[in-house]
Amino acid sequence: MRRKDRQMDEAFALSVIDKSEFGVLGICKDSVYTMPLSIVRDGKTLYFHSAPEGRKIEMLADGSEVSVSFISRVNVPSVLTREEILQKIEAKKFAEIGSKVFTTEFESAHVEGKVFQVKDEGEMVKALMLIAKKYTPELADLAEEFIKNSLPRTKVYKILIDEIKGKRKKFDEFGEEMKFGRMK
């Protein structure tokens, strides 16, 4: 990671995964292929589901290396007022404007690991229930029968996390960037 000052710990990265609406899976076989997926985490394992055929399925071989990127929060900060920006332009302090105005605050996680198709029916149901609880929590109690009925036409994959990194850019209430894992 180039910006070590923005690196966060593993617990932070795992929380980003849990908060993210989706993750972007990257596969490299004969070509590079990426796609956004609804992903859920159970410990150091990520799960996603798929239709039984398609380009993604053709590219996913058990044990192949994949990466997944997650972003849980993006915000354009309002650290400086319009008047302060104009004053900095007049004083030719452009770096101060770029680093505090024309930027984004974010939280991200990046995972590298190996992917495997889940073939055990119990683990498939567990993974799909976790997905239902994350994305449709108000209906999760109705999901199990639907899930069991859909198993013949659903593939489930798991990614065993080998490496995880978290990164964040955030400003405090005084307009100073919170670096080196500073939380407050």
Side-chain angles (χ1 to χ4, degrees), residues 112-125:
E112 293 185 13
K114 292 181 179 53
V115 66
F116 298 90
Q117 182 181 347
V118 176
K119 295 181 180 171
D120 175 76
E121 186 174 307
E123 188 177 5
M124 290 175 72
V125 170

Side-chain angles (χ1 to χ4, degrees), residues 36-95:
L37 297 170
S38 302
I39 296 178
V40 69
R41 180 182 71 85
D42 185 29
K44 292 272 214 107
T45 302
L46 305 177
Y47 288 102
F48 64 92
H49 69 292
S50 176
E53 66 271 331
R55 183 173 180 194
K56 171 178 57 193
I57 300 307
E58 293 167 8
M59 294 184 79
L60 289 173
D62 274 355
S64 57
E65 294 180 2
V66 296
S67 65
V68 188
S69 293
F70 299 88
I71 301 173
S72 68
R73 179 182 173 277
V74 177
N75 179 56
V76 176
S78 55
V79 175
L80 300 175
T81 66
R82 184 175 184 81
E83 184 60 37
E84 290 170 324
I85 295 168
L86 288 170
Q87 289 171 0
K88 291 190 183 296
I89 289 172
E90 191 173 307
K92 305 236 184 272
K93 294 183 178 179
F94 297 108

Side-chain angles (χ1 to χ4, degrees), residues 3-47:
R3 292 295 306 261
K4 297 283 187 197
D5 57 331
R6 293 185 178 146
Q7 186 170 347
M8 301 298 287
D9 65 16
E10 183 177 291
F12 176 87
L14 293 171
S15 75
V16 168
I17 292 170
D18 294 341
K19 292 186 285 187
S20 295
E21 292 182 33
F22 64 91
V24 178
L25 175 70
I27 307 167
C28 185
K29 195 171 178 181
D30 297 326
S31 62
V32 175
Y33 187 59
T34 61
M35 79 259 7
L37 297 170
S38 302
I39 296 178
V40 69
R41 180 182 71 85
D42 185 29
K44 292 272 214 107
T45 302
L46 305 177
Y47 288 102

Side-chain angles (χ1 to χ4, degrees), residues 86-142:
L86 288 170
Q87 289 171 0
K88 291 190 183 296
I89 289 172
E90 191 173 307
K92 305 236 184 272
K93 294 183 178 179
F94 297 108
E96 292 179 31
I97 298 169
S99 66
K100 293 188 175 189
V101 177
F102 297 109
T103 189
T104 56
E105 293 179 304
F106 63 87
E107 296 178 348
S108 67
H110 183 79
V111 167
E112 293 185 13
K114 292 181 179 53
V115 66
F116 298 90
Q117 182 181 347
V118 176
K119 295 181 180 171
D120 175 76
E121 186 174 307
E123 188 177 5
M124 290 175 72
V125 170
K126 173 188 160 190
L128 294 168
M129 283 299 297
L130 289 169
I131 292 169
K133 288 176 183 174
K134 179 175 180 176
Y135 292 98
T136 56
E138 70 286 351
L139 300 172
D141 62 317
L142 306 176

